[in-house]
PDB file of all heavy atoms in Angstrom:
ATOM      1  N   ASP A   8     -27.399  37.183  23.474  1.00 97.00           N
ATOM      2  CA  ASP A   8     -26.600  37.723  24.573  1.00 97.00           C
ATOM      3  C   ASP A   8     -27.345  38.973  25.041  1.00 97.00           C
ATOM      4  O   ASP A   8     -27.307  40.006  24.371  1.00 97.00           O
ATOM      5  CB  ASP A   8     -25.202  38.058  24.021  1.00 97.00           C
ATOM      6  CG  ASP A   8     -24.365  38.891  24.984  1.00 97.00           C
ATOM      7  OD1 ASP A   8     -24.779  39.065  26.154  1.00 97.00           O
ATOM      8  OD2 ASP A   8     -23.294  39.367  24.559  1.00 97.00           O
ATOM      9  N   GLY A  10     -27.259  41.739  27.064  1.00 93.00           N
ATOM     10  CA  GLY A  10     -26.199  42.412  27.812  1.00 93.00           C
ATOM     11  C   GLY A  10     -26.679  43.579  28.653  1.00 93.00           C
ATOM     12  O   GLY A  10     -27.784  44.067  28.476  1.00 93.00           O
ATOM     13  N   THR A  11     -25.817  44.004  29.564  1.00 89.00           N
ATOM     14  CA  THR A  11     -26.127  45.174  30.390  1.00 89.00           C
ATOM     15  C   THR A  11     -26.187  46.417  29.514  1.00 89.00           C
ATOM     16  O   THR A  11     -27.101  47.236  29.627  1.00 89.00           O
ATOM     17  CB  THR A  11     -25.019  45.389  31.441  1.00 89.00           C
ATOM     18  OG1 THR A  11     -24.817  44.167  32.112  1.00 89.00           O
ATOM     19  CG2 THR A  11     -25.393  46.461  32.434  1.00 89.00           C
ATOM     20  N   THR A  12     -25.214  46.538  28.632  1.00 89.00           N
ATOM     21  CA  THR A  12     -25.119  47.728  27.786  1.00 89.00           C
ATOM     22  C   THR A  12     -25.648  47.449  26.387  1.00 89.00           C
ATOM     23  O   THR A  12     -26.410  48.223  25.835  1.00 89.00           O
ATOM     24  CB  THR A  12     -23.640  48.160  27.664  1.00 89.00           C
ATOM     25  OG1 THR A  12     -23.021  47.990  28.923  1.00 89.00           O
ATOM     26  CG2 THR A  12     -23.532  49.591  27.223  1.00 89.00           C
ATOM     27  N   ASN A  13     -25.217  46.325  25.824  1.00 94.00           N
ATOM     28  CA  ASN A  13     -25.604  45.975  24.461  1.00 94.00           C
ATOM     29  C   ASN A  13     -26.063  44.531  24.408  1.00 94.00           C
ATOM     30  O   ASN A  13     -25.582  43.699  25.173  1.00 94.00           O
ATOM     31  CB  ASN A  13     -24.398  46.115  23.522  1.00 94.00           C
ATOM     32  CG  ASN A  13     -23.921  47.542  23.438  1.00 94.00           C
ATOM     33  OD1 ASN A  13     -24.663  48.427  23.023  1.00 94.00           O
ATOM     34  ND2 ASN A  13     -22.695  47.776  23.859  1.00 94.00           N
ATOM     35  N   SER A  14     -26.977  44.265  23.478  1.00 97.00           N
ATOM     36  CA  SER A  14     -27.411  42.891  23.261  1.00 97.00           C
ATOM     37  C   SER A  14     -27.062  42.501  21.835  1.00 97.00           C
ATOM     38  O   SER A  14     -26.890  43.354  20.977  1.00 97.00           O
ATOM     39  CB  SER A  14     -28.914  42.765  23.502  1.00 97.00           C
ATOM     40  OG  SER A  14     -29.181  43.031  24.860  1.00 97.00           O
ATOM     41  N   THR A  37     -24.785  44.960  17.150  1.00 96.00           N
ATOM     42  CA  THR A  37     -25.246  44.889  18.542  1.00 96.00           C
ATOM     43  C   THR A  37     -26.286  45.992  18.749  1.00 96.00           C
ATOM     44  O   THR A  37     -26.252  47.019  18.060  1.00 96.00           O
ATOM     45  CB  THR A  37     -24.096  45.072  19.563  1.00 96.00           C
ATOM     46  OG1 THR A  37     -23.515  46.347  19.367  1.00 96.00           O
ATOM     47  CG2 THR A  37     -23.026  44.009  19.432  1.00 96.00           C
ATOM     48  N   ASP A 195     -14.200  38.152  30.979  1.00 93.00           N
ATOM     49  CA  ASP A 195     -15.298  38.873  30.319  1.00 93.00           C
ATOM     50  C   ASP A 195     -15.594  40.184  31.041  1.00 93.00           C
ATOM     51  O   ASP A 195     -16.170  40.186  32.128  1.00 93.00           O
ATOM     52  CB  ASP A 195     -16.536  37.966  30.299  1.00 93.00           C
ATOM     53  CG  ASP A 195     -17.749  38.630  29.654  1.00 93.00           C
ATOM     54  OD1 ASP A 195     -17.694  39.826  29.331  1.00 93.00           O
ATOM     55  OD2 ASP A 195     -18.770  37.933  29.489  1.00 93.00           O
ATOM     56  N   LEU A 196     -15.189  41.277  30.430  1.00 94.00           N
ATOM     57  CA  LEU A 196     -15.496  42.591  31.001  1.00 94.00           C
ATOM     58  C   LEU A 196     -16.394  43.338  30.028  1.00 94.00           C
ATOM     59  O   LEU A 196     -15.961  43.742  28.951  1.00 94.00           O
ATOM     60  CB  LEU A 196     -14.209  43.376  31.280  1.00 94.00           C
ATOM     61  CG  LEU A 196     -14.409  44.704  32.014  1.00 94.00           C
ATOM     62  CD1 LEU A 196     -14.999  44.513  33.411  1.00 94.00           C
ATOM     63  CD2 LEU A 196     -13.104  45.475  32.116  1.00 94.00           C
ATOM     64  N   GLY A 197     -17.668  43.445  30.411  1.00 90.00           N
ATOM     65  CA  GLY A 197     -18.641  44.114  29.547  1.00 90.00           C
ATOM     66  C   GLY A 197     -18.982  45.489  30.072  1.00 90.00           C
ATOM     67  O   GLY A 197     -18.185  46.130  30.758  1.00 90.00           O
ATOM     68  N   GLY A 198     -20.202  45.927  29.778  1.00 87.00           N
ATOM     69  CA  GLY A 198     -20.622  47.254  30.193  1.00 87.00           C
ATOM     70  C   GLY A 198     -20.914  47.344  31.683  1.00 87.00           C
ATOM     71  O   GLY A 198     -20.701  48.378  32.305  1.00 87.00           O
ATOM     72  N   GLY A 199     -21.422  46.247  32.260  1.00 82.00           N
ATOM     73  CA  GLY A 199     -21.842  46.335  33.654  1.00 82.00           C
ATOM     74  C   GLY A 199     -21.314  45.244  34.560  1.00 82.00           C
ATOM     75  O   GLY A 199     -21.443  45.338  35.778  1.00 82.00           O
ATOM     76  N   GLY A 225     -17.758  47.216  35.404  1.00 92.00           N
ATOM     77  CA  GLY A 225     -17.847  47.155  33.948  1.00 92.00           C
ATOM     78  C   GLY A 225     -17.552  48.506  33.349  1.00 92.00           C
ATOM     79  O   GLY A 225     -17.194  49.458  34.055  1.00 92.00           O
ATOM     80  N   GLY A 226     -17.714  48.592  32.059  1.00 94.00           N
ATOM     81  CA  GLY A 226     -17.422  49.827  31.331  1.00 94.00           C
ATOM     82  C   GLY A 226     -18.175  51.023  31.895  1.00 94.00           C
ATOM     83  O   GLY A 226     -17.648  52.146  31.875  1.00 94.00           O
ATOM     84  N   ASP A 227     -19.397  50.782  32.409  1.00 88.00           N
ATOM     85  CA  ASP A 227     -20.174  51.897  32.969  1.00 88.00           C
ATOM     86  C   ASP A 227     -19.416  52.584  34.102  1.00 88.00           C
ATOM     87  O   ASP A 227     -19.474  53.804  34.237  1.00 88.00           O
ATOM     88  CB  ASP A 227     -21.521  51.403  33.522  1.00 88.00           C
ATOM     89  CG  ASP A 227     -22.449  50.909  32.428  1.00 88.00           C
ATOM     90  OD1 ASP A 227     -22.130  51.142  31.246  1.00 88.00           O
ATOM     91  OD2 ASP A 227     -23.475  50.287  32.744  1.00 88.00           O
ATOM     92  N   ASP A 230     -16.865  54.737  32.629  1.00 96.00           N
ATOM     93  CA  ASP A 230     -17.495  55.943  32.063  1.00 96.00           C
ATOM     94  C   ASP A 230     -17.840  56.943  33.168  1.00 96.00           C
ATOM     95  O   ASP A 230     -17.645  58.150  33.010  1.00 96.00           O
ATOM     96  CB  ASP A 230     -18.774  55.578  31.298  1.00 96.00           C
ATOM     97  CG  ASP A 230     -18.505  54.647  30.126  1.00 96.00           C
ATOM     98  OD1 ASP A 230     -17.328  54.478  29.767  1.00 96.00           O
ATOM     99  OD2 ASP A 230     -19.476  54.080  29.587  1.00 96.00           O
ATOM    100  N   GLU A 264     -17.939  57.826  27.069  1.00 96.00           N
ATOM    101  CA  GLU A 264     -17.883  56.492  26.478  1.00 96.00           C
ATOM    102  C   GLU A 264     -17.141  56.512  25.143  1.00 96.00           C
ATOM    103  O   GLU A 264     -16.298  55.665  24.867  1.00 96.00           O
ATOM    104  CB  GLU A 264     -19.304  55.948  26.310  1.00 96.00           C
ATOM    105  CG  GLU A 264     -19.376  54.440  26.315  1.00 96.00           C
ATOM    106  CD  GLU A 264     -19.673  53.835  24.972  1.00 96.00           C
ATOM    107  OE1 GLU A 264     -20.055  54.583  24.043  1.00 96.00           O
ATOM    108  OE2 GLU A 264     -19.502  52.613  24.819  1.00 96.00           O
ATOM    109  N   LYS A 267     -13.422  57.026  25.682  1.00 98.00           N
ATOM    110  CA  LYS A 267     -12.799  55.778  26.129  1.00 98.00           C
ATOM    111  C   LYS A 267     -12.533  54.853  24.937  1.00 98.00           C
ATOM    112  O   LYS A 267     -11.460  54.265  24.820  1.00 98.00           O
ATOM    113  CB  LYS A 267     -13.744  55.118  27.138  1.00 98.00           C
ATOM    114  CG  LYS A 267     -13.295  53.803  27.699  1.00 98.00           C
ATOM    115  CD  LYS A 267     -14.410  53.165  28.536  1.00 98.00           C
ATOM    116  CE  LYS A 267     -15.523  52.668  27.638  1.00 98.00           C
ATOM    117  NZ  LYS A 267     -16.615  52.027  28.373  1.00 98.00           N
ATOM    118  N   ARG A 268     -13.517  54.725  24.046  1.00 97.00           N
ATOM    119  CA  ARG A 268     -13.335  53.866  22.864  1.00 97.00           C
ATOM    120  C   ARG A 268     -12.219  54.375  21.970  1.00 97.00           C
ATOM    121  O   ARG A 268     -11.374  53.602  21.519  1.00 97.00           O
ATOM    122  CB  ARG A 268     -14.616  53.840  22.022  1.00 97.00           C
ATOM    123  CG  ARG A 268     -15.711  52.994  22.604  1.00 97.00           C
ATOM    124  CD  ARG A 268     -16.923  53.149  21.699  1.00 97.00           C
ATOM    125  NE  ARG A 268     -18.086  52.502  22.237  1.00 97.00           N
ATOM    126  CZ  ARG A 268     -18.637  51.406  21.710  1.00 97.00           C
ATOM    127  NH1 ARG A 268     -18.143  50.870  20.630  1.00 97.00           N
ATOM    128  NH2 ARG A 268     -19.699  50.874  22.269  1.00 97.00           N
ATOM    129  N   THR A 269     -12.216  55.693  21.743  1.00 98.00           N
ATOM    130  CA  THR A 269     -11.190  56.270  20.873  1.00 98.00           C
ATOM    131  C   THR A 269      -9.807  55.993  21.445  1.00 98.00           C
ATOM    132  O   THR A 269      -8.869  55.680  20.706  1.00 98.00           O
ATOM    133  CB  THR A 269     -11.398  57.803  20.741  1.00 98.00           C
ATOM    134  OG1 THR A 269     -12.734  58.018  20.317  1.00 98.00           O
ATOM    135  CG2 THR A 269     -10.430  58.429  19.767  1.00 98.00           C
ATOM    136  N   LEU A 270      -9.689  56.084  22.780  1.00 98.00           N
ATOM    137  CA  LEU A 270      -8.378  55.910  23.412  1.00 98.00           C
ATOM    138  C   LEU A 270      -7.922  54.451  23.427  1.00 98.00           C
ATOM    139  O   LEU A 270      -6.796  54.163  23.827  1.00 98.00           O
ATOM    140  CB  LEU A 270      -8.378  56.517  24.819  1.00 98.00           C
ATOM    141  CG  LEU A 270      -8.503  58.047  24.833  1.00 98.00           C
ATOM    142  CD1 LEU A 270      -8.633  58.572  26.259  1.00 98.00           C
ATOM    143  CD2 LEU A 270      -7.322  58.722  24.121  1.00 98.00           C
ATOM    144  N   SER A 271      -8.767  53.527  22.959  1.00 97.00           N
ATOM    145  CA  SER A 271      -8.288  52.156  22.758  1.00 97.00           C
ATOM    146  C   SER A 271      -7.429  52.093  21.501  1.00 97.00           C
ATOM    147  O   SER A 271      -6.617  51.197  21.334  1.00 97.00           O
ATOM    148  CB  SER A 271      -9.464  51.185  22.609  1.00 97.00           C
ATOM    149  OG  SER A 271     -10.128  51.047  23.830  1.00 97.00           O
ATOM    150  N   GLU A 272      -7.628  53.048  20.611  1.00 97.00           N
ATOM    151  CA  GLU A 272      -6.887  53.063  19.336  1.00 97.00           C
ATOM    152  C   GLU A 272      -5.807  54.141  19.332  1.00 97.00           C
ATOM    153  O   GLU A 272      -4.741  53.950  18.769  1.00 97.00           O
ATOM    154  CB  GLU A 272      -7.832  53.339  18.158  1.00 97.00           C
ATOM    155  CG  GLU A 272      -9.059  52.420  18.090  1.00 97.00           C
ATOM    156  CD  GLU A 272      -8.693  50.956  18.032  1.00 97.00           C
ATOM    157  OE1 GLU A 272      -7.672  50.612  17.396  1.00 97.00           O
ATOM    158  OE2 GLU A 272      -9.428  50.145  18.641  1.00 97.00           O
ATOM    159  N   VAL A 338     -13.490  38.489  26.366  1.00 94.00           N
ATOM    160  CA  VAL A 338     -14.872  38.722  25.941  1.00 94.00           C
ATOM    161  C   VAL A 338     -15.328  40.065  26.485  1.00 94.00           C
ATOM    162  O   VAL A 338     -14.883  40.492  27.557  1.00 94.00           O
ATOM    163  CB  VAL A 338     -15.797  37.605  26.490  1.00 94.00           C
ATOM    164  CG1 VAL A 338     -17.238  37.831  26.063  1.00 94.00           C
ATOM    165  CG2 VAL A 338     -15.332  36.239  26.030  1.00 94.00           C
ATOM    166  N   GLY A 339     -16.263  40.712  25.765  1.00 92.00           N
ATOM    167  CA  GLY A 339     -16.817  41.978  26.245  1.00 92.00           C
ATOM    168  C   GLY A 339     -16.081  43.155  25.633  1.00 92.00           C
ATOM    169  O   GLY A 339     -14.855  43.118  25.462  1.00 92.00           O
ATOM    170  N   GLY A 340     -16.850  44.179  25.303  1.00 92.00           N
ATOM    171  CA  GLY A 340     -16.293  45.347  24.615  1.00 92.00           C
ATOM    172  C   GLY A 340     -15.117  45.977  25.335  1.00 92.00           C
ATOM    173  O   GLY A 340     -14.185  46.491  24.706  1.00 92.00           O
ATOM    174  N   MET A 341     -15.120  45.906  26.684  1.00 96.00           N
ATOM    175  CA  MET A 341     -14.062  46.561  27.461  1.00 96.00           C
ATOM    176  C   MET A 341     -12.698  45.906  27.275  1.00 96.00           C
ATOM    177  O   MET A 341     -11.673  46.501  27.614  1.00 96.00           O
ATOM    178  CB  MET A 341     -14.434  46.570  28.945  1.00 96.00           C
ATOM    179  CG  MET A 341     -15.390  47.658  29.358  1.00 96.00           C
ATOM    180  SD  MET A 341     -14.824  49.310  28.949  1.00 96.00           S
ATOM    181  CE  MET A 341     -13.336  49.413  29.920  1.00 96.00           C
ATOM    182  N   THR A 342     -12.675  44.666  26.774  1.00 96.00           N
ATOM    183  CA  THR A 342     -11.365  44.011  26.591  1.00 96.00           C
ATOM    184  C   THR A 342     -10.641  44.568  25.364  1.00 96.00           C
ATOM    185  O   THR A 342      -9.544  44.140  25.049  1.00 96.00           O
ATOM    186  CB  THR A 342     -11.478  42.472  26.496  1.00 96.00           C
ATOM    187  OG1 THR A 342     -12.274  42.149  25.356  1.00 96.00           O
ATOM    188  CG2 THR A 342     -12.083  41.881  27.746  1.00 96.00           C
ATOM    189  N   ARG A 343     -11.264  45.531  24.688  1.00 95.00           N
ATOM    190  CA  ARG A 343     -10.534  46.232  23.620  1.00 95.00           C
ATOM    191  C   ARG A 343      -9.605  47.293  24.217  1.00 95.00           C
ATOM    192  O   ARG A 343      -8.738  47.805  23.529  1.00 95.00           O
ATOM    193  CB  ARG A 343     -11.516  46.910  22.673  1.00 95.00           C
ATOM    194  CG  ARG A 343     -12.359  45.950  21.868  1.00 95.00           C
ATOM    195  CD  ARG A 343     -13.304  46.749  20.992  1.00 95.00           C
ATOM    196  NE  ARG A 343     -14.335  45.930  20.411  1.00 95.00           N
ATOM    197  CZ  ARG A 343     -14.226  45.319  19.251  1.00 95.00           C
ATOM    198  NH1 ARG A 343     -13.129  45.415  18.558  1.00 95.00           N
ATOM    199  NH2 ARG A 343     -15.225  44.589  18.789  1.00 95.00           N
ATOM    200  N   MET A 344      -9.830  47.647  25.452  1.00 97.00           N
ATOM    201  CA  MET A 344      -8.990  48.670  26.088  1.00 97.00           C
ATOM    202  C   MET A 344      -7.626  48.057  26.409  1.00 97.00           C
ATOM    203  O   MET A 344      -7.545  47.043  27.115  1.00 97.00           O
ATOM    204  CB  MET A 344      -9.675  49.160  27.376  1.00 97.00           C
ATOM    205  CG  MET A 344      -8.908  50.233  28.099  1.00 97.00           C
ATOM    206  SD  MET A 344      -9.931  50.934  29.429  1.00 97.00           S
ATOM    207  CE  MET A 344      -8.718  51.986  30.204  1.00 97.00           C
ATOM    208  N   PRO A 345      -6.533  48.646  25.903  1.00 97.00           N
ATOM    209  CA  PRO A 345      -5.210  48.037  26.098  1.00 97.00           C
ATOM    210  C   PRO A 345      -4.867  47.761  27.563  1.00 97.00           C
ATOM    211  O   PRO A 345      -4.316  46.711  27.877  1.00 97.00           O
ATOM    212  CB  PRO A 345      -4.249  49.056  25.476  1.00 97.00           C
ATOM    213  CG  PRO A 345      -5.084  49.801  24.487  1.00 97.00           C
ATOM    214  CD  PRO A 345      -6.471  49.844  25.052  1.00 97.00           C
ATOM    215  N   PRO A 365     -14.965  40.214  20.385  1.00 91.00           N
ATOM    216  CA  PRO A 365     -15.351  40.102  21.804  1.00 91.00           C
ATOM    217  C   PRO A 365     -16.784  40.542  22.109  1.00 91.00           C
ATOM    218  O   PRO A 365     -17.357  40.117  23.092  1.00 91.00           O
ATOM    219  CB  PRO A 365     -14.340  40.999  22.527  1.00 91.00           C
ATOM    220  CG  PRO A 365     -13.773  41.882  21.493  1.00 91.00           C
ATOM    221  CD  PRO A 365     -13.839  41.139  20.200  1.00 91.00           C
ATOM    222  N   ASP A 366     -17.371  41.372  21.240  1.00 91.00           N
ATOM    223  CA  ASP A 366     -18.758  41.801  21.479  1.00 91.00           C
ATOM    224  C   ASP A 366     -19.760  40.746  21.019  1.00 91.00           C
ATOM    225  O   ASP A 366     -20.938  40.827  21.338  1.00 91.00           O
ATOM    226  CB  ASP A 366     -19.095  43.070  20.669  1.00 91.00           C
ATOM    227  CG  ASP A 366     -18.063  44.152  20.848  1.00 91.00           C
ATOM    228  OD1 ASP A 366     -17.641  44.347  21.992  1.00 91.00           O
ATOM    229  OD2 ASP A 366     -17.671  44.764  19.834  1.00 91.00           O
TER     230      ASP A 366
HETATM  231  P1  LIG B   1     -20.497  44.697  26.109  1.00 96.65           P
HETATM  232  O1  LIG B   1     -21.309  44.664  27.376  1.00 96.65           O
HETATM  233  O2  LIG B   1     -19.669  43.522  25.862  1.00 96.65           O
HETATM  234  O3  LIG B   1     -21.303  45.139  24.909  1.00 96.65           O
HETATM  235  O4  LIG B   1     -19.420  45.852  26.354  1.00 96.65           O
HETATM  236  C1  LIG B   1     -19.815  47.146  26.369  1.00 96.65           C
HETATM  237  C2  LIG B   1     -18.729  47.963  26.995  1.00 96.65           C
HETATM  238  O5  LIG B   1     -17.563  47.882  26.201  1.00 96.65           O
HETATM  239  C3  LIG B   1     -19.117  49.414  27.066  1.00 96.65           C
HETATM  240  O6  LIG B   1     -18.706  49.945  28.312  1.00 96.65           O
HETATM  241  C4  LIG B   1     -18.334  50.015  25.934  1.00 96.65           C
HETATM  242  O7  LIG B   1     -18.044  51.375  26.182  1.00 96.65           O
HETATM  243  C5  LIG B   1     -17.085  49.184  25.945  1.00 96.65           C
HETATM  244  N1  LIG B   1     -16.372  49.223  24.676  1.00 96.65           N
HETATM  245  C6  LIG B   1     -16.831  48.888  23.453  1.00 96.65           C
HETATM  246  N2  LIG B   1     -15.892  49.075  22.523  1.00 96.65           N
HETATM  247  C7  LIG B   1     -14.799  49.559  23.173  1.00 96.65           C
HETATM  248  C8  LIG B   1     -13.483  49.960  22.774  1.00 96.65           C
HETATM  249  N3  LIG B   1     -13.129  49.925  21.504  1.00 96.65           N
HETATM  250  N4  LIG B   1     -12.638  50.390  23.738  1.00 96.65           N
HETATM  251  C9  LIG B   1     -13.002  50.435  25.037  1.00 96.65           C
HETATM  252  N5  LIG B   1     -14.216  50.068  25.470  1.00 96.65           N
HETATM  253  C10 LIG B   1     -15.100  49.643  24.554  1.00 96.65           C
END
Side-chain angles (χ1 to χ4, degrees):
D8 168 10
T11 309
T12 320
N13 296 299
S14 295
T37 61
D195 179 353
L196 186 63
D227 293 349
D230 299 348
E264 206 252 348
K267 179 188 72 179
R268 284 177 187 249
T269 306
L270 292 175
S271 290
E272 308 303 324
V338 180
M341 279 304 298
T342 62
R343 293 179 193 270
M344 181 170 173
D366 310 317

